[in-house]
Structure formats: C-alpha cells, structure tokens
Amino acid sequence: MQTNVHPSIRPATWASWLAVASTIVIWLVLVGPLITLVLKVSPSEIVTALRQPGALSPLGVSVGSALIALLILVLLGTPLAYTLARSPRRGVRWLEAGMLLMLLMPPLVIGLLLVFMLGPLTPLGGLLAHVHLSATNTFFALIVAEVYEAAPYYVLGAQSTFVGLDQGMLDQASLLGDTPRQRFFRISLPLSLPQLTSSLAIAWARAIGAFGAVIIIAYHPYGLPMQVWTTLNEVGLQRALPYALVLLVVSLPFPLLAFFWSRRARR
Amino acid sequence: MKGSRIRMVVATGMSALVLSACGASTGASPVSHQTANVAYAGSLQLLNEGTIGPAFAKTSGYGYLGRGAGSFGLAKEIVAGEISPNVFESIGAAPIAELEPSKTSWYVSFAASPIVVAYNPHTSYAPTLKKISQGKLPISRLFGLLDAKGFLLGRTNPNTDPQGQAFYEMVELAVRRMHLPSSLVTGILGALDNPAEVFSETSLEARLEAGQLDAASAFQSQAIQLHLPYIALPAAINFGNPRLAKDYASARLTLTDGAVVHGVPLLVDATVLGHYDARAADAFVRYQLESLGRRAFIHAGYTVFKPIFVGADVPRSVRNAD
C-alpha cells in the first residue's frame, strides 16, 4: 500500500508490528497451558499412568461415548441446523433462542438440571427405565451429558454454514424442478460438508472433554476427564497430568484433519 | 530502531511464555493489606463464604479469600504448588499430614462434624425414616432399610473424600456395635467405589434435594444448613466425638490403591501455611476459636469443643485465643 506520509513515521509499519506482537502474545497466553503440560509430563510418566490396572478403560469410554454423541448430533442436529438457517417461519427464531440459551448455560448447571429432568424418580426417568436405560452413573448418562455440552457448538456452527449457501444456486435448482429434499442432498449438503466437518470437530472436542455436566450425572463410568479429576484427588497432580496429555493426543487428530480439509476445500 | 522493536516483541512474547510455562501463581500477593487466603473442605463452603469469611473481614480489617473443594484434593494441589493458600482447613487431620513437615508443623481441632443419614422427605421410605429419626423405631431399622432392594442410597467416593471414608466405616461400626448380620456391610455399600451409589461431592446433596435419592450420607452441618431432614447416629458410630478416637480407629478400610485407612473423628482442623500474610492467616484461625467464630459453627450444626492443639510451633497469637 502506498502512503504519502513521511517515511520516518510509517504508521502502517507500526500497526502491523503491533498486530504481530499482540498475535504472538495472545497465542502464547492461550497455548501456554499446553506448553506447560508437554514440558511437565515425560513419556515415561504417560507409560506408567497407562500401565496402572484399568487405566485404559477411560480412554475407551471417552472415545466410544464421544463417537456416539457425534453420531446423534449429526443425525438430529443437522436437520435442526438446516431448519434454523433456511426456514422463514417466525417460530423457528424461538428454536434458535433456545439453542443460544443452552450455549450460555454453564455445563455444571446443565448437569444439575438433568438430574431434575432425567433422575430415576422423574416421569422421563421412569420412561427410560421402561427401556432399561438410566441417566444416572451409566454409559448412557455420559453420552447424554456429552450431547448436551457439544450440541450448541455443532448446531450453531452448522446453521451459519447453511446460512452462507449461495441462494442463487438453490433458486436455480428449484426452477429445474428439484424438491426441497433433493436440493438439500444434491446441493446444500455437499457444498457445506467441509464447514460442517469443522463444526463437528469442535463438537468432538467439547464432547470428549465434557466435564461439568458429566461430574453431576455420570461420575461413573470414568471417561478421561473424570479420570484426570479422580486421579488428582487420589494421588495428586503428577499422576493426573499424563491422562490430560492422553486426552489431548486422542482428541486432536480429528479436529486437525477437519481443519486442513476445510482449508483445502475453501481454496 | 528496527532491531529494538524486534527485541521488544520477542521480549514480550518470551515473558508471556515464561509466565505461562511457570504456571504463574494464582495466590493473592500481599500488596497493600493482608489477606487470609483460605482453602477449606467443601463441606465448610456455606459457613465460610456465607458467615465466617465476611464477618472476619469486617471485624478484623484483613481481607478474606476462600475456596472450597475436597480436603485431599486441596492438599494434593498445595503440595504440587498449584495453589498457595495461607490457611488450610480440612475435615480430619489426614490431609494436613500430607503437608507436613514442609508446609506446616501443627494444627488445631476445634469443632466436630458428625456423620448423619440425610433423607428426602417425599419419597416412599420417608415416613419410616422419619420415625427412626424421632426415635419411634430403633436405629437398627435404618440399616435394614438401607439394604432394601430398590432403596436409593448415595454416598461419596472413599478414595477421594473423608466423608466417603467415614460413611463406609460408620456402616462397618454400626453392624458390629448393634450385632447386625455382617452381610449388611456389603449389602448396603457394595464395592468401595460402587457405581450405583457413589456420586461426586458436588452432586450428592443436589440429587437428594431433587428427590432422586431416598437417603444420602451427609455431615450433620450440611443437613442443617440445607434444611434436609436427617437421622442422627449414636456417638459410638458417628465419628463426631474426639474422645472416642480409639473406638473409631477400630474401623478400617482398604482403598483402591491398596492403602489402609482407619476411622478418625471428623474434626474441623485448621492450620496456617507458608510465610506470606501470616498475621491475617493467624487472625483467621484465631477468629474461629473465639466466641464469634464458635457461635457461627454451633449455629451451622457443628459441635464445638475446647481447642486441641497438635504439633509444634503453634503461633502464639493462635494458642492464646480464648
């Protein structure tokens, strides 16, 4: 960019240096805990932690429950997000407000409210019992907690993706005789897939790291975050941190892949 | 000039890195006036945050900063340097023992927090539980009821929580003292960390209040503060009498990691840690030993007794509290 300002003042340079500096600072601040974690935990400590009897089961519990939670989100959250994005009806704004409220709710509060809603002695809890499910200290309860913690992130992300679709292209498809359903599967979904995957990656991170609602309704079975918490309380930080690193290693590949794929698809 | 700018950016970045990598201390630092930075057992939360903390700050002029969590967890965090309070209050002295000798060499016991069985007044078992609490039915009936199929009992994890340990040991003692069938112990409690009845400390009383449990382990103080009806237990099994320490010790429990723990009276124990803001820290402990603090403890459902000092180098200002 050309400027007529005297070269010794160079405001653009100052501004860009400031931008670089603040970027570095905020990045370091945000990533600092991660650097600390990697510096504090040696590979041998991870091996020791994972060799404890039963230490691998939280890993399986976390991955299994988070995958099922994601499946539920894709099947139920995608249609909801599409409706939120594309339906002109007024009532839909209420649905959107509901999602936003859930996003604002601290996970711990969600957990407490789930106790009131799904506990064994509530009507819904009774219905669950009929199909031999319980939302108290079970694998099912863990999935429920994870869905609650992750859903707003996926639905709102997917919604904004659908909002950004090229309206002209959709109109053309209608003119050519496509039904709404055909439009969704032929145009909306394929075009949105990279961004949807990004939203799903965020939801995955939220689900596998879910703790606030989990500690209330699913103290058992231990997933990785609960394992970190109880190990911290039983034997201390040094033995708890390796699990945090395992959590990171397990949950990271999917978001990274999604990130790179959506970057490539956008080019 | 350009070089100095680069150096500045690098320096800012490096200092941020160093700060974050060191895990900058979160404890309050003594700037203008001293603060009692108190880490305490989660069960003291209502009392400390609602009554004692504000009253102490008002009458003493020192600042007050509190945080509540499981006693053992807090002790672990203090040892690891994650938090640096200058007062530590736990239920039972075992968590304090983990801080000796590097952080402290003494503690004072001044109140007891007996174990009770709190119950929800609206579930189908409530009428019977109420009769037991009023003495119209013998206390031994309680243990039969806890063992009943379909009875929803909640307790905390003995591996991480002193209350969880005491409740487990209480059932063991009760069965022995009342000559009940010994199968009741496993019938009522199951495995140490029984998934059907072990909940986080955070959610246990909430579940009871929500009517999702018939009964739950609780400290008497919690039951009183939360207005939950409860069944008081005889002193011989409630871990609330410091003079029965020997009897309580006959109950034993093997934790998941193989460690064996013995029953101890559930006393509120306090100590001062570290060297910063020591005057505020001493004053906070002293406040609890004196009349205003004692009254607050009694009001909150604790039993208080003449302070018992254990260990060496008790600060004179604390020892001389009346």
Side-chain angles (χ1 to χ4, degrees), chain A residues 18-243:
Chain A
L18 199 66
V20 169
S22 55
T23 306
I24 291 176
V25 169
I26 190 72
W27 189 87
L28 283 171
V29 168
L30 291 178
V31 180
L34 211 63
I35 297 170
T36 317
L37 178 63
V38 175
L39 289 179
K40 276 207 168 177
V41 181
S42 70
S44 67
E45 280 171 325
I46 298 180
V47 174
T48 313
L50 291 180
R51 278 210 183 132
Q52 302 290 317
L56 283 175
S57 98
L59 183 65
V61 167
S62 269
V63 172
S65 59
L67 280 176
I68 297 173
L70 282 204
L71 188 68
I72 293 169
L73 284 182
V74 169
L75 292 180
L76 302 180
T78 315
L80 171 61
Y82 195 71
T83 309
L84 291 179
R86 311 301 297 179
S87 172
R89 291 206 185 94
R90 240 200 183 171
V92 169
R93 299 284 75 82
W94 287 103
L95 295 181
E96 191 175 0
M99 283 317 289
L100 284 170
L101 282 178
M102 285 310 286
L103 185 67
L104 290 176
M105 201 71 87
L108 193 72
V109 177
I110 292 178
L112 289 171
L113 295 177
L114 283 175
V115 169
F116 281 89
M117 192 173 92
L118 296 177
L121 304 178
T122 62
L124 273 177
L127 280 180
L128 286 175
H130 267 294
V131 288
H132 302 288
L133 281 176
S134 158
T136 302
N137 279 7
T138 56
F139 190 67
F140 173 71
L142 182 60
I143 295 169
V144 170
E146 290 179 347
V147 166
Y148 269 90
E149 288 206 26
Y153 294 89
Y154 176 66
V155 174
L156 294 172
Q159 182 197 357
S160 74
T161 308
F162 290 135
V163 166
L165 286 173
D166 182 354
Q167 189 57 42
M169 201 186 276
L170 292 171
D171 290 344
Q172 262 181 350
S174 305
L175 287 175
L176 291 173
D178 270 8
T179 63
R181 193 167 162 270
Q182 284 170 324
R183 262 188 337 213
F184 176 76
F185 282 106
R186 281 191 193 160
I187 301 170
S188 303
L189 194 60
L191 281 179
S192 315
L193 218 46
Q195 266 70 36
L196 285 183
T197 314
S198 291
S199 303
L200 203 59
I202 293 172
W204 162 259
R206 299 297 311 172
I208 205 162
F211 181 67
V214 170
I215 194 175
I216 304 292
I217 72 163
Y219 189 80
H220 288 280
Y222 290 166
L224 278 170
M226 273 308 294
Q227 181 73 27
V228 171
W229 177 246
T230 49
T231 311
L232 171 71
N233 282 283
E234 279 173 37
V235 282
L237 189 71
Q238 214 49 37
R239 288 267 285 282
L241 280 182
Y243 288 104

Side-chain angles (χ1 to χ4, degrees), chain B residues 7-184:
Chain B
R7 272 200 295 279
M8 193 179 79
V9 171
V10 170
T12 320
M14 285 307 287
S15 57
L17 177 64
V18 167
L19 268 180
S20 51
C22 295
S25 165
T26 50
S29 54
V31 186
S32 57
H33 91 184
Q34 294 207 343
T35 295
N37 189 340
V38 187
Y40 53 80
S43 58
L44 292 166
Q45 176 113 23
L46 280 173
L47 178 62
N48 272 357
E49 297 307 309
T51 314
I52 291 190
F56 164 75
K58 207 171 156 198
T59 55
S60 72
Y62 292 117
Y64 166 81
L65 198 66
R67 66 179 286 158
S71 301
F72 284 110
L74 285 173
K76 299 266 160 44
E77 287 183 65
I78 293 168
V79 169
E82 293 302 299
I83 57 171
S84 48
N86 54 13
V87 178
F88 180 47
E89 286 184 302
S90 71
I91 300 296
I96 293 179
E98 298 199 9
L99 307 179
E100 289 171 335
S102 63
K103 305 274 180 190
T104 184
S105 58
W106 64 276
Y107 62 86
V108 55
S109 310
F110 56 94
S113 188
I115 278 276
V116 300
V117 175
Y119 64 91
N120 183 290
H122 305 298
T123 71
S124 58
Y125 292 98
T128 318
L129 291 167
K130 188 174 178 186
K131 279 188 192 141
I132 298 171
S133 76
Q134 292 167 334
K136 290 177 186 163
L137 285 173
I139 195 89
S140 55
R141 271 294 296 277
L142 170 67
F143 295 91
L145 215 53
L146 295 181
D147 188 37
K149 200 172 182 300
F151 189 95
L152 298 173
L153 171 69
R155 58 186 175 90
T156 59
N157 186 351
N159 287 313
T160 57
D161 185 41
Q163 190 198 108
Q165 291 179 0
F167 189 82
Y168 205 100
E169 292 159 344
M170 181 276 288
V171 175
E172 196 189 318
L173 280 181
V175 164
R176 219 186 307 150
R177 297 263 185 276
M178 297 177 198
H179 308 289
L180 302 169
S182 60
S183 61
L184 270 185

Side-chain angles (χ1 to χ4, degrees), chain B residues 145-267:
Chain B
L145 215 53
L146 295 181
D147 188 37
K149 200 172 182 300
F151 189 95
L152 298 173
L153 171 69
R155 58 186 175 90
T156 59
N157 186 351
N159 287 313
T160 57
D161 185 41
Q163 190 198 108
Q165 291 179 0
F167 189 82
Y168 205 100
E169 292 159 344
M170 181 276 288
V171 175
E172 196 189 318
L173 280 181
V175 164
R176 219 186 307 150
R177 297 263 185 276
M178 297 177 198
H179 308 289
L180 302 169
S182 60
S183 61
L184 270 185
V185 177
T186 43
I188 292 171
L189 301 166
L192 192 68
D193 194 6
N194 182 358
E197 62 185 38
V198 171
F199 298 93
S200 62
E201 295 98 290
T202 329
S203 70
L204 186 59
E205 312 311 330
R207 272 180 187 280
L208 186 63
E209 285 183 283
Q212 300 309 314
L213 291 174
D214 293 301
S217 93
F219 291 122
Q220 179 175 294
S221 51
Q222 283 175 304
I224 288 176
Q225 289 166 56
L226 296 171
H227 306 291
L228 291 166
Y230 66 92
I231 297 172
L233 301 166
I237 63 170
N238 75 4
F239 293 90
N241 187 338
R243 272 172 298 190
L244 297 179
K246 243 189 207 157
D247 290 354
Y248 298 151
S250 70
R252 66 193 290 276
L253 183 61
T254 308
L255 302 181
T256 305
D257 65 0
V260 175
V261 291
H262 290 270
V264 287
L266 291 168
L267 308 183

